[in-house]
Amino acid sequence: MAYLSGYQYYENAGAVPEDENWGSYQYVSLTDVVNNFMLIYQGNHELVNNINRYQVLFHAKRAIQELNYDAFKEIKALELNVCDDLRFVLPPDFVNWVRLSLFKNGMLYPLTENIQANSAESYLQDNNCNILFDQSGNILQPEHSLLDTERLAGTARTMYLNNDSIYNGSEGYNIDGQWYFDFQIGARYGLNTETANVNPTFRLDKAAGVINFSSGMAGEQCVLEYISDGMNRQPFTGTGSKGDPYVPNPSDVGVKVHKFFEEFIYAYIKYTILNSRFGIQEYVVRRAQKDKSALLRNAKIRISNLHPARLLMNMRGQNKLIK
Amino acid sequence: MINSVRNTVLAICNKNNYGYISPSDFNLFGQQAQMDMFEDYFYQYNYQINKVNAHTTGSSYANLAENLLEVIDSFSVYEALVNNPPATNNYSLPAIIIGNTGDFYYINRLQFKNLDIEKVSESKLLNLTNSLLTAPTEEWPAYIVRGNTATIYPDTIAGAGVVFCQYIRYPLAPKWTYSTLTNGEPVFNHTSADYQDFELPLSDEPMLTTKILQYAGISIRETEVVNTMNTMEANENQQEQ
């Protein structure tokens, strides 16, 4: 049964943004989850009693975070231009990456994660390789390490078979009138398929909060597909009045969970509360744990949306040996 | 009910003008007895909840927990809290309500818009406000109590008429009033401005009488009355369980 009128759903009742309610019926809000739990699963005659709402809120948010990491399959995408610094600053709600692609000529080219370091810090040293310090005893550092300097200048070489390949520009040989430069003269047995990719490479620097690219990405469009934790954090607006602690004010408006996982969230909250409480019989905890696990399994199957029509195209190729 | 109780008390106590209870004494004993029974309602309610959870109670008319809840709810009050000082997130807890009552007995909940404001212990406040996941917001507000003041978080919740309170108040102090004396006896007058009946249900009249008689028995140094009433009270409690 719809909970919004058609006008509210399609046009947000004339308010902005118009698409505010599109698809909203798939989800249940965090507010609803906490409110329903406090109403139905907490009370004088329930297993969970005398619990603070903030504890329920905490466990509900943790459940939503965990679901966002691997069960929801709700992948966000952000496209940015990579400038000469060959750097992509991670989005504010970034938790982990799924795929990076180069968007060029109307096509998405998946990028390969470099298995080698492509960025490093460096210390200044004298001719005898002694590290240099300032008056306060702090180590002196250059702006960029040599590794970074060469990468930014486009002179660094890579083991990948792209424009920065160590074979690119090396001496070649001529066979039947065709020059080959991409391989060194001499025997070569097979191909290292792990590094056999023509696209630029990248490496995630988690601590610095950036993705560093090889020089081939300079001036190119990059699409980052990533997952978040579903918390929709807003900027802090708390002021903290005199004598009172600073109160951050992130808004939970928009934090939601797919309806397939609603029952799991209740089971998860119930289990985590019972599991951490003193004096709860072990069989009660185990029952709650089994309940939670079974519901997660069911929800994952549901959200994977397996049905014959979707499998059909894949199954059509089942007899083709080389795809 | 108050006149009936007083008449019964006097009928039991007053013999040969020995055990006469004056109106002012009766009002004092009545207040004590009513407060005693009011407090006991919460213990009884908790006891009955445990019985329900142990599946040793019936439903419908036998659901004593529900009956007790009805009595407790008859003392429920809902009103806006007063901002003090103005335009801050501090609100005075209800102190004076109609009549001659003193105070709230139990704050059940504070409300902001259509949301409950959760009470938290001050010892947990900093943990709560410093946690990204549980920090109070306008969707999940919280409050602490310092003295007679509730401080609401976040501090954006401020000003008059935005915070409401539902609480259980103490019962009003009973007052048996009279206007004239006939044959030296005060004549009951329930139209007096300061008249106040007992607020407990009519079914509590026997117990109220018993308790008042206990106080009256002590007052007139009549051990027999005290002992008898103690025994009656114990028997009644035993039966009600």
Side-chain angles (χ1 to χ4, degrees):
Chain A
M1 193 174 79
Y3 61 104
L4 295 173
S5 71
Y7 182 51
Q8 283 176 313
Y9 179 79
Y10 284 106
E11 298 186 15
N12 198 16
V16 177
E18 185 189 44
D19 59 358
E20 177 77 12
N21 298 315
W22 294 356
S24 59
Y25 200 65
Q26 300 168 85
Y27 298 96
V28 56
S29 70
L30 176 66
T31 311
D32 278 344
V33 167
V34 175
N35 190 51
N36 291 344
F37 188 90
M38 294 298 285
L39 178 67
I40 305 296
Y41 294 97
Q42 192 274 152
N44 280 333
H45 307 301
E46 320 303 333
L47 274 176
V48 177
N49 194 11
N50 288 335
I51 189 92
N52 289 105
R53 186 182 62 192
Y54 63 75
Q55 290 173 282
V56 175
L57 177 65
F58 172 81
H59 292 305
K61 284 186 172 179
R62 284 292 302 116
I64 291 174
Q65 286 179 320
E66 290 295 328
L67 290 173
N68 268 277
Y69 298 151
D70 57 5
F72 277 174
K73 305 180 190 305
E74 293 195 4
I75 296 168
K76 295 185 166 189
L78 175 67
E79 181 192 314
L80 286 178
N81 185 260
V82 179
C83 291
D84 291 342
D85 57 5
L86 299 175
R87 205 173 61 181
F88 188 121
V89 179
L90 299 176
D93 56 348
F94 176 90
V95 171
N96 199 14
W97 65 279
V98 176
R99 183 165 48 199
L100 262 88
S101 305
L102 161 66
F103 184 59
K104 193 172 185 180
N105 302 326
M107 277 282 289
L108 279 173
Y109 299 91
L111 302 184
T112 308
E113 184 180 20
N114 199 327
I115 58 174
Q116 294 178 309
N118 67 356
S119 179
E121 288 194 357
S122 182
Y123 296 155
L124 288 181
Q125 293 170 287
D126 64 14
N127 290 336
N128 295 321
C129 293
N130 294 316
I131 293 174
L132 302 178
F133 304 92
D134 66 10
Q135 288 177 326
S136 305
N138 299 317
I139 297 173
L140 293 172
Q141 289 187 277
E143 184 183 1
H144 296 297
S145 63
L146 190 59
L147 182 65
D148 279 314
T149 305
E150 292 208 352
R151 181 173 60 86
L152 294 170
T155 55
R157 291 301 175 197
T158 173
M159 62 194 296
Y160 288 83
L161 297 182
N162 56 26
N163 289 340
D164 298 328
S165 168
I166 52 173
Y167 306 116
N168 202 19
S170 62
E171 290 188 30
Y173 50 92
N174 188 298
I175 299 176
D176 297 333
Q178 182 70 45
W179 281 95
Y180 292 86
F181 294 99
D182 284 350
F183 302 98
Q184 286 181 314
I185 294 171
R188 179 181 178 84
Y189 301 99
L191 181 71
N192 183 2
T193 51
E194 187 181 4
T195 59
N197 192 296
V198 73
N199 295 328
T201 60
F202 71 92
R203 195 168 172 87
L204 179 67
D205 188 343
K206 287 182 184 141
V210 296
I211 299 169
N212 291 311
F213 293 95
S214 61
S215 60
M217 277 301 284
E220 302 287 358
Q221 290 297 114
C222 177
V223 176
L224 167 67
E225 291 167 80
Y226 68 101
I227 54 169
S228 184
D229 64 355
M231 286 296 105
N232 281 358
R233 295 223 171 81
Q234 304 293 317
F236 291 172
T237 55
T239 53
S241 55
K242 187 178 179 185
D244 289 322
Y246 173 77
V247 180
N249 190 24
S251 173
D252 291 328
V253 173
V255 177
K256 59 194 178 184
V257 61
H258 196 280
K259 279 179 177 169
F260 285 170
F261 291 92
E262 185 178 357
E263 198 60 35
F264 163 74
I265 295 259
Y266 299 139
Y268 176 91
I269 297 169
K270 191 166 74 174
Y271 164 69
T272 47
I273 289 170
L274 292 173
N275 191 39
S276 58
R277 284 211 134 182
F278 178 77
I280 304 290
Q281 298 93 327
E282 189 56 26
Y283 74 91
V284 174
V285 178
R286 288 285 297 160
R287 190 172 68 200
Q289 187 186 34
K290 284 179 183 173
D291 194 21
K292 172 201 71 140
S293 302
L295 285 166
L296 178 60
R297 205 159 39 240
N298 285 348
K300 277 184 171 179
I301 291 169
R302 281 177 176 171
I303 204 80
S304 66
N305 224 6
L306 281 173
H307 54 77
R310 283 189 109 183
L311 290 172
L312 189 60
M313 293 304 288
N314 295 333
M315 297 297 286
R316 278 178 175 156
Q318 65 181 323
N319 295 322
K320 188 169 168 51
L321 295 178
I322 301 173
K323 295 172 184 169
Chain B
M1 181 164 74
I2 192 167
N3 195 41
S4 166
V5 171
R6 185 168 186 272
N7 288 340
T8 311
V9 167
L10 288 180
I12 295 172
C13 260
N14 192 7
K15 193 172 183 182
N16 302 327
N17 276 338
Y18 169 60
Y20 178 74
I21 309 295
S22 69
S24 60
D25 281 354
F26 174 79
N27 289 339
L28 289 174
F29 299 156
Q31 166 72 344
Q32 287 300 309
Q34 183 172 245
M35 291 292 279
D36 193 4
M37 293 186 62
F38 174 76
E39 177 87 11
D40 193 45
Y41 264 107
F42 296 89
Y43 290 96
Q44 284 187 48
Y45 180 60
N46 189 48
Y47 177 77
Q48 291 300 330
I49 289 289
N50 290 334
K51 288 191 76 172
V52 171
N53 288 338
H55 303 287
T56 58
T57 187
S59 58
S60 189
Y61 296 124
N63 192 346
L64 299 182
E66 283 297 313
N67 298 342
L68 291 167
L69 193 60
E70 275 184 21
V71 177
I72 292 171
D73 281 343
S74 69
F75 294 96
S76 175
V77 177
Y78 179 81
E79 65 181 15
L81 290 186
V82 177
N83 218 195
N84 184 25
T88 66
N89 58 335
N90 293 321
Y91 292 83
S92 295
L93 293 174
I96 299 172
I97 41 177
I98 51 167
N100 54 352
T101 64
D103 226 333
F104 63 89
Y105 173 77
Y106 177 75
I107 298 284
N108 193 33
R109 65 186 177 87
L110 297 191
Q111 182 180 333
F112 168 67
K113 294 179 180 171
N114 61 343
L115 301 163
D116 281 337
I117 307 174
E118 182 175 32
K119 183 179 182 182
V120 294
S121 161
E122 187 150 8
S123 64
K124 289 274 188 186
L125 180 65
L126 288 177
N127 299 124
L128 187 76
T129 53
N130 287 332
S131 162
L132 273 181
L133 292 182
T134 64
T137 64
E138 292 203 3
E139 295 94 51
W140 312 107
Y143 76 96
I144 58 165
V145 172
R146 286 180 188 140
N148 202 35
T149 300
T151 304
I152 316 286
Y153 295 91
D155 56 12
T156 50
I157 300 176
V162 297
V163 174
F164 294 83
C165 178
Q166 185 257 320
Y167 62 93
I168 302 298
R169 65 170 172 81
Y170 282 113
L172 303 175
K175 187 139 191 184
W176 187 89
T177 49
Y178 64 97
S179 52
T180 57
L181 295 174
T182 304
N183 297 328
E185 281 289 316
V187 177
F188 179 55
N189 175 21
H190 70 278
T191 59
S192 176
D194 56 347
Y195 163 75
Q196 178 59 55
D197 199 357
F198 289 112
E199 291 201 289
L200 298 180
L202 196 59
S203 57
D204 279 333
E205 184 174 334
M207 185 60 90
L208 263 177
T209 307
T210 305
K211 284 188 176 294
I212 292 171
L213 279 167
Q214 286 174 359
Y215 292 118
I218 294 168
S219 172
I220 61 175
R221 308 288 190 271
E222 188 59 66
T223 320
E224 195 176 336
V225 176
V226 176
N227 289 341
T228 307
M229 294 307 146
N230 278 340
T231 309
M232 282 179 65
E233 186 183 357
N235 288 341
E236 194 161 343
N237 285 338
Q238 185 68 33
Q239 285 168 11
E240 286 179 357
Q241 288 177 2

